[in-house]
């Protein structure tokens, strides 16, 4: 955004409030520019360098932001829901234009990207770019050689087309998540990497080989691994390096 941006425009672009609301807030003395109360809503500011506060709290004027979230179970991936807690309830950013990139089911945990970069969001989900996503999956049953072959080759899950080839790995660490007790006998932890994002895709792939999913956790998105220090429900901004690798993955 330009160096000489009107305060009311900045607030509305950031999704904090409309221009009319901003005018009102200015009149009420709620908005300050570099510590001095703003007199008019058309006052000019430099979003890169000026300190802008609303009710004494600094406004984050960076326009495009990228968060990595460790999604908890029981929370839906939606912007808003009248009945259920949503992932956006965990984002304290206050920006109205943030949206999750793709969806994780209510009971799925792990890596969810949240951004207001609509273009990158679109690209990361586009089948054209085949961005890989790796899931840690606890299944009811033990994969046989033929199951692995079918998952790897691509299989019929009831859509028009079979799934694209996937990568199957059996991790050495048999815990589903670090620090948890070992899963029950007769179950297995599997790492599955897919490059599509069809509805309930992972669950349907394992259903197709007769080994239903008991738990599902996304551990990486494109080249980025979920930060092990993020507790469920926590989020942090992507580092410059992570962001660059993500942009490269979608190019
Ligand atoms: N596949 C599923 O079945 N569920 C998810 O949440 C993500 C991928």
């Amino acid at each position: 955004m330009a160096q000489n941006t009107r305060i009311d425009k900045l607030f509305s672009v950031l999704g904090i409030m409309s221009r009319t609301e901003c005018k009102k807030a200015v009149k009420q003395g709620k908005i300050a520019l570099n510590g001095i109360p703003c007199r008019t809503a058309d006052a000019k500011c430099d979003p890169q360098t000026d300190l802008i506060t609303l009710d004494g709290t600094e406004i984050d004027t960076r326009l495009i932001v990228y968060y990595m979230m460790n999604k908890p179970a029981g929370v839906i991936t939606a912007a808003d829901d009248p009945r259920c807690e949503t992932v956006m309830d965990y984002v304290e950013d206050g920006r109205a234009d943030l949206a999750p990139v793709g969806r994780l089911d209510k009971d799925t945990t792990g890596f969810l990207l949240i951004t207001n970069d609509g273009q990158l969001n679109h690209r990361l989900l586009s089948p054209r770019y085949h961005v890989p996503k790796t899931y840690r999956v606890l299944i009811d049953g033990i994969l046989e050689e033929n199951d692995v072959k079918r998952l790897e080759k691509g299989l019929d899950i009831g859509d028009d087309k079979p799934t694209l080839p996937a990568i199957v790995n059996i991790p050495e660490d048999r815990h589903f998540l670090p620090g948890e007790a070992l899963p029950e006998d007769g179950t297995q932890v599997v790492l599955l990497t897919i490059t599509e994002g069809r509805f309930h895709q992972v669950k349907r792939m394992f259903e197709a080989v007769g080994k239903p999913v008991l738990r599902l956790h996304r551990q990486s998105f494109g080249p980025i691994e979920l930060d092990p220090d993020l507790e469920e429900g926590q989020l942090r901004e992507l580092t410059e390096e992570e962001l660059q690798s993500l942009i490269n993955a979608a190019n």
Side-chain angles (χ1 to χ4, degrees), residues 133-137 143 151-152 166-169 190-194 201-203 205-206 216-217 219:
K133 280 136 308 215
T134 299
Y135 293 87
R136 204 166 174 94
V137 196
L143 288 183
L151 291 164
E152 286 182 337
I167 300 169
V168 179
N169 278 304
V190 180
L191 287 176
L192 181 80
T193 302
I194 56 172
Q201 177 161 349
V202 176
K203 290 177 183 166
M205 287 174 76
F206 283 98
L216 188 54
H217 177 83
Q219 69 172 45

PDB file of all heavy atoms in Angstrom, residues 133-137 143 151-152 166-169 190-194 201-203 205-206 216-217 219:
ATOM      1  N   LYS A 133       0.719 -33.144   0.392  1.00  0.00           N
ATOM      2  CA  LYS A 133       0.323 -33.012   1.798  1.00  0.00           C
ATOM      3  C   LYS A 133       0.533 -34.364   2.457  1.00  0.00           C
ATOM      4  O   LYS A 133       0.120 -35.381   1.891  1.00  0.00           O
ATOM      5  CB  LYS A 133      -1.164 -32.626   1.911  1.00  0.00           C
ATOM      6  CG  LYS A 133      -1.392 -31.149   1.676  1.00  0.00           C
ATOM      7  CD  LYS A 133      -2.531 -30.780   0.811  1.00  0.00           C
ATOM      8  CE  LYS A 133      -2.624 -31.400  -0.497  1.00  0.00           C
ATOM      9  NZ  LYS A 133      -3.153 -30.597  -1.603  1.00  0.00           N
ATOM     10  N   THR A 134       1.192 -34.365   3.604  1.00  0.00           N
ATOM     11  CA  THR A 134       1.452 -35.646   4.263  1.00  0.00           C
ATOM     12  C   THR A 134       0.617 -35.774   5.529  1.00  0.00           C
ATOM     13  O   THR A 134       0.592 -34.861   6.365  1.00  0.00           O
ATOM     14  CB  THR A 134       2.953 -35.802   4.579  1.00  0.00           C
ATOM     15  OG1 THR A 134       3.658 -35.765   3.343  1.00  0.00           O
ATOM     16  CG2 THR A 134       3.255 -37.126   5.275  1.00  0.00           C
ATOM     17  N   TYR A 135      -0.046 -36.907   5.636  1.00  0.00           N
ATOM     18  CA  TYR A 135      -0.925 -37.189   6.774  1.00  0.00           C
ATOM     19  C   TYR A 135      -0.369 -38.359   7.574  1.00  0.00           C
ATOM     20  O   TYR A 135       0.147 -39.323   6.997  1.00  0.00           O
ATOM     21  CB  TYR A 135      -2.329 -37.569   6.277  1.00  0.00           C
ATOM     22  CG  TYR A 135      -3.043 -36.425   5.612  1.00  0.00           C
ATOM     23  CD1 TYR A 135      -2.876 -36.173   4.257  1.00  0.00           C
ATOM     24  CD2 TYR A 135      -3.879 -35.582   6.345  1.00  0.00           C
ATOM     25  CE1 TYR A 135      -3.521 -35.112   3.636  1.00  0.00           C
ATOM     26  CE2 TYR A 135      -4.523 -34.520   5.730  1.00  0.00           C
ATOM     27  CZ  TYR A 135      -4.339 -34.293   4.378  1.00  0.00           C
ATOM     28  OH  TYR A 135      -4.989 -33.241   3.768  1.00  0.00           O
ATOM     29  N   ARG A 136      -0.499 -38.229   8.874  1.00  0.00           N
ATOM     30  CA  ARG A 136      -0.213 -39.349   9.762  1.00  0.00           C
ATOM     31  C   ARG A 136      -1.572 -39.971  10.057  1.00  0.00           C
ATOM     32  O   ARG A 136      -2.495 -39.289  10.526  1.00  0.00           O
ATOM     33  CB  ARG A 136       0.432 -38.805  11.040  1.00  0.00           C
ATOM     34  CG  ARG A 136       1.262 -39.815  11.759  1.00  0.00           C
ATOM     35  CD  ARG A 136       2.135 -39.161  12.808  1.00  0.00           C
ATOM     36  NE  ARG A 136       2.806 -40.195  13.561  1.00  0.00           N
ATOM     37  CZ  ARG A 136       4.017 -40.654  13.277  1.00  0.00           C
ATOM     38  NH1 ARG A 136       4.711 -40.140  12.302  1.00  0.00           N
ATOM     39  NH2 ARG A 136       4.546 -41.630  14.000  1.00  0.00           N
ATOM     40  N   VAL A 137      -1.691 -41.255   9.743  1.00  0.00           N
ATOM     41  CA  VAL A 137      -3.008 -41.880   9.772  1.00  0.00           C
ATOM     42  C   VAL A 137      -2.972 -43.099  10.691  1.00  0.00           C
ATOM     43  O   VAL A 137      -2.081 -43.936  10.559  1.00  0.00           O
ATOM     44  CB  VAL A 137      -3.412 -42.351   8.351  1.00  0.00           C
ATOM     45  CG1 VAL A 137      -4.898 -42.637   8.289  1.00  0.00           C
ATOM     46  CG2 VAL A 137      -3.025 -41.339   7.282  1.00  0.00           C
ATOM     47  N   LEU A 143      -1.867 -52.768   6.951  1.00  0.00           N
ATOM     48  CA  LEU A 143      -1.816 -52.761   5.480  1.00  0.00           C
ATOM     49  C   LEU A 143      -1.114 -54.012   4.954  1.00  0.00           C
ATOM     50  O   LEU A 143      -0.059 -54.398   5.459  1.00  0.00           O
ATOM     51  CB  LEU A 143      -1.070 -51.529   4.969  1.00  0.00           C
ATOM     52  CG  LEU A 143      -1.764 -50.175   5.083  1.00  0.00           C
ATOM     53  CD1 LEU A 143      -0.878 -49.098   4.461  1.00  0.00           C
ATOM     54  CD2 LEU A 143      -3.138 -50.180   4.413  1.00  0.00           C
ATOM     55  N   LEU A 151      -2.846 -48.118  -3.015  1.00  0.00           N
ATOM     56  CA  LEU A 151      -2.792 -46.713  -2.570  1.00  0.00           C
ATOM     57  C   LEU A 151      -1.752 -45.943  -3.378  1.00  0.00           C
ATOM     58  O   LEU A 151      -1.959 -44.792  -3.767  1.00  0.00           O
ATOM     59  CB  LEU A 151      -2.442 -46.638  -1.078  1.00  0.00           C
ATOM     60  CG  LEU A 151      -3.508 -47.140  -0.092  1.00  0.00           C
ATOM     61  CD1 LEU A 151      -2.900 -47.368   1.288  1.00  0.00           C
ATOM     62  CD2 LEU A 151      -4.670 -46.158   0.006  1.00  0.00           C
ATOM     63  N   GLU A 152      -0.615 -46.610  -3.630  1.00  0.00           N
ATOM     64  CA  GLU A 152       0.480 -45.926  -4.339  1.00  0.00           C
ATOM     65  C   GLU A 152       0.154 -45.691  -5.809  1.00  0.00           C
ATOM     66  O   GLU A 152       0.554 -44.689  -6.388  1.00  0.00           O
ATOM     67  CB  GLU A 152       1.770 -46.752  -4.206  1.00  0.00           C
ATOM     68  CG  GLU A 152       2.356 -46.632  -2.801  1.00  0.00           C
ATOM     69  CD  GLU A 152       3.657 -47.384  -2.628  1.00  0.00           C
ATOM     70  OE1 GLU A 152       3.922 -48.333  -3.389  1.00  0.00           O
ATOM     71  OE2 GLU A 152       4.405 -47.035  -1.699  1.00  0.00           O
ATOM     72  N   ALA A 166      -0.034 -42.020  -4.792  1.00  0.00           N
ATOM     73  CA  ALA A 166       0.289 -41.495  -3.451  1.00  0.00           C
ATOM     74  C   ALA A 166       1.573 -42.162  -2.966  1.00  0.00           C
ATOM     75  O   ALA A 166       2.022 -43.146  -3.548  1.00  0.00           O
ATOM     76  CB  ALA A 166      -0.858 -41.796  -2.503  1.00  0.00           C
ATOM     77  N   ILE A 167       2.134 -41.625  -1.906  1.00  0.00           N
ATOM     78  CA  ILE A 167       3.324 -42.247  -1.299  1.00  0.00           C
ATOM     79  C   ILE A 167       2.925 -42.794   0.060  1.00  0.00           C
ATOM     80  O   ILE A 167       2.304 -42.090   0.872  1.00  0.00           O
ATOM     81  CB  ILE A 167       4.473 -41.218  -1.148  1.00  0.00           C
ATOM     82  CG1 ILE A 167       4.852 -40.662  -2.517  1.00  0.00           C
ATOM     83  CG2 ILE A 167       5.684 -41.849  -0.478  1.00  0.00           C
ATOM     84  CD1 ILE A 167       5.793 -39.463  -2.456  1.00  0.00           C
ATOM     85  N   VAL A 168       3.269 -44.057   0.285  1.00  0.00           N
ATOM     86  CA  VAL A 168       2.928 -44.702   1.562  1.00  0.00           C
ATOM     87  C   VAL A 168       4.216 -45.037   2.299  1.00  0.00           C
ATOM     88  O   VAL A 168       5.135 -45.604   1.708  1.00  0.00           O
ATOM     89  CB  VAL A 168       2.126 -46.006   1.313  1.00  0.00           C
ATOM     90  CG1 VAL A 168       1.790 -46.691   2.632  1.00  0.00           C
ATOM     91  CG2 VAL A 168       0.859 -45.721   0.520  1.00  0.00           C
ATOM     92  N   ASN A 169       4.289 -44.654   3.548  1.00  0.00           N
ATOM     93  CA  ASN A 169       5.435 -45.026   4.390  1.00  0.00           C
ATOM     94  C   ASN A 169       4.937 -45.522   5.725  1.00  0.00           C
ATOM     95  O   ASN A 169       3.919 -45.025   6.231  1.00  0.00           O
ATOM     96  CB  ASN A 169       6.338 -43.815   4.640  1.00  0.00           C
ATOM     97  CG  ASN A 169       7.285 -43.577   3.490  1.00  0.00           C
ATOM     98  OD1 ASN A 169       8.046 -44.472   3.119  1.00  0.00           O
ATOM     99  ND2 ASN A 169       7.204 -42.404   2.900  1.00  0.00           N
ATOM    100  N   VAL A 190       0.322 -45.002   9.655  1.00  0.00           N
ATOM    101  CA  VAL A 190       0.799 -44.944   8.270  1.00  0.00           C
ATOM    102  C   VAL A 190       1.023 -43.477   7.897  1.00  0.00           C
ATOM    103  O   VAL A 190       0.254 -42.608   8.319  1.00  0.00           O
ATOM    104  CB  VAL A 190      -0.270 -45.537   7.311  1.00  0.00           C
ATOM    105  CG1 VAL A 190       0.210 -45.494   5.865  1.00  0.00           C
ATOM    106  CG2 VAL A 190      -0.644 -46.958   7.711  1.00  0.00           C
ATOM    107  N   LEU A 191       2.060 -43.223   7.113  1.00  0.00           N
ATOM    108  CA  LEU A 191       2.250 -41.877   6.558  1.00  0.00           C
ATOM    109  C   LEU A 191       1.805 -41.897   5.104  1.00  0.00           C
ATOM    110  O   LEU A 191       2.304 -42.722   4.317  1.00  0.00           O
ATOM    111  CB  LEU A 191       3.732 -41.478   6.621  1.00  0.00           C
ATOM    112  CG  LEU A 191       4.283 -41.141   7.996  1.00  0.00           C
ATOM    113  CD1 LEU A 191       5.776 -40.858   7.899  1.00  0.00           C
ATOM    114  CD2 LEU A 191       3.568 -39.931   8.571  1.00  0.00           C
ATOM    115  N   LEU A 192       0.880 -41.045   4.771  1.00  0.00           N
ATOM    116  CA  LEU A 192       0.369 -41.014   3.405  1.00  0.00           C
ATOM    117  C   LEU A 192       0.575 -39.616   2.823  1.00  0.00           C
ATOM    118  O   LEU A 192       0.156 -38.628   3.428  1.00  0.00           O
ATOM    119  CB  LEU A 192      -1.126 -41.358   3.393  1.00  0.00           C
ATOM    120  CG  LEU A 192      -1.751 -41.384   1.996  1.00  0.00           C
ATOM    121  CD1 LEU A 192      -1.424 -42.708   1.300  1.00  0.00           C
ATOM    122  CD2 LEU A 192      -3.264 -41.206   2.042  1.00  0.00           C
ATOM    123  N   THR A 193       1.201 -39.563   1.673  1.00  0.00           N
ATOM    124  CA  THR A 193       1.381 -38.265   0.991  1.00  0.00           C
ATOM    125  C   THR A 193       0.539 -38.250  -0.278  1.00  0.00           C
ATOM    126  O   THR A 193       0.680 -39.138  -1.132  1.00  0.00           O
ATOM    127  CB  THR A 193       2.866 -38.037   0.641  1.00  0.00           C
ATOM    128  OG1 THR A 193       3.631 -38.103   1.850  1.00  0.00           O
ATOM    129  CG2 THR A 193       3.074 -36.671   0.001  1.00  0.00           C
ATOM    130  N   ILE A 194      -0.330 -37.253  -0.363  1.00  0.00           N
ATOM    131  CA  ILE A 194      -1.178 -37.121  -1.551  1.00  0.00           C
ATOM    132  C   ILE A 194      -1.003 -35.720  -2.133  1.00  0.00           C
ATOM    133  O   ILE A 194      -0.580 -34.794  -1.429  1.00  0.00           O
ATOM    134  CB  ILE A 194      -2.677 -37.377  -1.224  1.00  0.00           C
ATOM    135  CG1 ILE A 194      -3.176 -36.455  -0.108  1.00  0.00           C
ATOM    136  CG2 ILE A 194      -2.911 -38.825  -0.883  1.00  0.00           C
ATOM    137  CD1 ILE A 194      -4.673 -36.526   0.132  1.00  0.00           C
ATOM    138  N   GLN A 201     -10.702 -37.323   1.368  1.00  0.00           N
ATOM    139  CA  GLN A 201      -9.917 -38.193   0.489  1.00  0.00           C
ATOM    140  C   GLN A 201      -9.158 -39.302   1.230  1.00  0.00           C
ATOM    141  O   GLN A 201      -9.204 -40.462   0.823  1.00  0.00           O
ATOM    142  CB  GLN A 201      -8.920 -37.364  -0.327  1.00  0.00           C
ATOM    143  CG  GLN A 201      -8.045 -38.254  -1.205  1.00  0.00           C
ATOM    144  CD  GLN A 201      -7.382 -37.511  -2.321  1.00  0.00           C
ATOM    145  OE1 GLN A 201      -7.707 -36.368  -2.583  1.00  0.00           O
ATOM    146  NE2 GLN A 201      -6.446 -38.146  -2.987  1.00  0.00           N
ATOM    147  N   VAL A 202      -8.461 -38.921   2.300  1.00  0.00           N
ATOM    148  CA  VAL A 202      -7.640 -39.924   2.980  1.00  0.00           C
ATOM    149  C   VAL A 202      -8.540 -41.006   3.586  1.00  0.00           C
ATOM    150  O   VAL A 202      -8.281 -42.206   3.455  1.00  0.00           O
ATOM    151  CB  VAL A 202      -6.762 -39.253   4.061  1.00  0.00           C
ATOM    152  CG1 VAL A 202      -5.980 -40.293   4.840  1.00  0.00           C
ATOM    153  CG2 VAL A 202      -5.829 -38.232   3.431  1.00  0.00           C
ATOM    154  N   LYS A 203      -9.621 -40.579   4.188  1.00  0.00           N
ATOM    155  CA  LYS A 203     -10.533 -41.556   4.803  1.00  0.00           C
ATOM    156  C   LYS A 203     -11.090 -42.502   3.737  1.00  0.00           C
ATOM    157  O   LYS A 203     -11.175 -43.707   3.936  1.00  0.00           O
ATOM    158  CB  LYS A 203     -11.670 -40.834   5.525  1.00  0.00           C
ATOM    159  CG  LYS A 203     -11.190 -40.112   6.780  1.00  0.00           C
ATOM    160  CD  LYS A 203     -12.310 -39.351   7.435  1.00  0.00           C
ATOM    161  CE  LYS A 203     -11.782 -38.585   8.646  1.00  0.00           C
ATOM    162  NZ  LYS A 203     -12.702 -37.581   9.132  1.00  0.00           N
ATOM    163  N   MET A 205      -9.711 -43.267   0.884  1.00  0.00           N
ATOM    164  CA  MET A 205      -8.673 -44.137   0.323  1.00  0.00           C
ATOM    165  C   MET A 205      -8.462 -45.365   1.209  1.00  0.00           C
ATOM    166  O   MET A 205      -8.334 -46.489   0.723  1.00  0.00           O
ATOM    167  CB  MET A 205      -7.357 -43.356   0.165  1.00  0.00           C
ATOM    168  CG  MET A 205      -7.399 -42.354  -0.983  1.00  0.00           C
ATOM    169  SD  MET A 205      -5.930 -41.314  -1.062  1.00  0.00           S
ATOM    170  CE  MET A 205      -4.718 -42.436  -1.768  1.00  0.00           C
ATOM    171  N   PHE A 206      -8.437 -45.126   2.515  1.00  0.00           N
ATOM    172  CA  PHE A 206      -8.230 -46.280   3.404  1.00  0.00           C
ATOM    173  C   PHE A 206      -9.494 -47.142   3.511  1.00  0.00           C
ATOM    174  O   PHE A 206      -9.407 -48.366   3.664  1.00  0.00           O
ATOM    175  CB  PHE A 206      -7.730 -45.804   4.777  1.00  0.00           C
ATOM    176  CG  PHE A 206      -6.268 -45.442   4.750  1.00  0.00           C
ATOM    177  CD1 PHE A 206      -5.864 -44.130   4.609  1.00  0.00           C
ATOM    178  CD2 PHE A 206      -5.298 -46.426   4.809  1.00  0.00           C
ATOM    179  CE1 PHE A 206      -4.526 -43.789   4.539  1.00  0.00           C
ATOM    180  CE2 PHE A 206      -3.950 -46.111   4.746  1.00  0.00           C
ATOM    181  CZ  PHE A 206      -3.564 -44.787   4.611  1.00  0.00           C
ATOM    182  N   LEU A 216      -6.622 -38.981  12.248  1.00  0.00           N
ATOM    183  CA  LEU A 216      -5.963 -38.364  11.098  1.00  0.00           C
ATOM    184  C   LEU A 216      -5.310 -37.048  11.535  1.00  0.00           C
ATOM    185  O   LEU A 216      -5.946 -36.227  12.209  1.00  0.00           O
ATOM    186  CB  LEU A 216      -7.029 -38.113  10.021  1.00  0.00           C
ATOM    187  CG  LEU A 216      -6.575 -37.636   8.652  1.00  0.00           C
ATOM    188  CD1 LEU A 216      -5.521 -38.571   8.067  1.00  0.00           C
ATOM    189  CD2 LEU A 216      -7.775 -37.590   7.707  1.00  0.00           C
ATOM    190  N   HIS A 217      -4.057 -36.897  11.140  1.00  0.00           N
ATOM    191  CA  HIS A 217      -3.285 -35.715  11.532  1.00  0.00           C
ATOM    192  C   HIS A 217      -2.462 -35.278  10.327  1.00  0.00           C
ATOM    193  O   HIS A 217      -1.732 -36.086   9.753  1.00  0.00           O
ATOM    194  CB  HIS A 217      -2.360 -36.103  12.694  1.00  0.00           C
ATOM    195  CG  HIS A 217      -1.460 -35.018  13.167  1.00  0.00           C
ATOM    196  ND1 HIS A 217      -1.847 -34.046  14.045  1.00  0.00           N
ATOM    197  CD2 HIS A 217      -0.147 -34.762  12.886  1.00  0.00           C
ATOM    198  CE1 HIS A 217      -0.842 -33.231  14.294  1.00  0.00           C
ATOM    199  NE2 HIS A 217       0.200 -33.637  13.604  1.00  0.00           N
ATOM    200  N   GLN A 219       0.667 -33.625   8.910  1.00  0.00           N
ATOM    201  CA  GLN A 219       1.957 -33.209   9.475  1.00  0.00           C
ATOM    202  C   GLN A 219       2.765 -32.320   8.552  1.00  0.00           C
ATOM    203  O   GLN A 219       3.688 -31.657   9.006  1.00  0.00           O
ATOM    204  CB  GLN A 219       2.764 -34.395   9.965  1.00  0.00           C
ATOM    205  CG  GLN A 219       3.310 -35.332   8.928  1.00  0.00           C
ATOM    206  CD  GLN A 219       4.235 -36.333   9.596  1.00  0.00           C
ATOM    207  OE1 GLN A 219       3.912 -36.881  10.645  1.00  0.00           O
ATOM    208  NE2 GLN A 219       5.399 -36.559   9.019  1.00  0.00           N
TER     209      GLN A 219
END
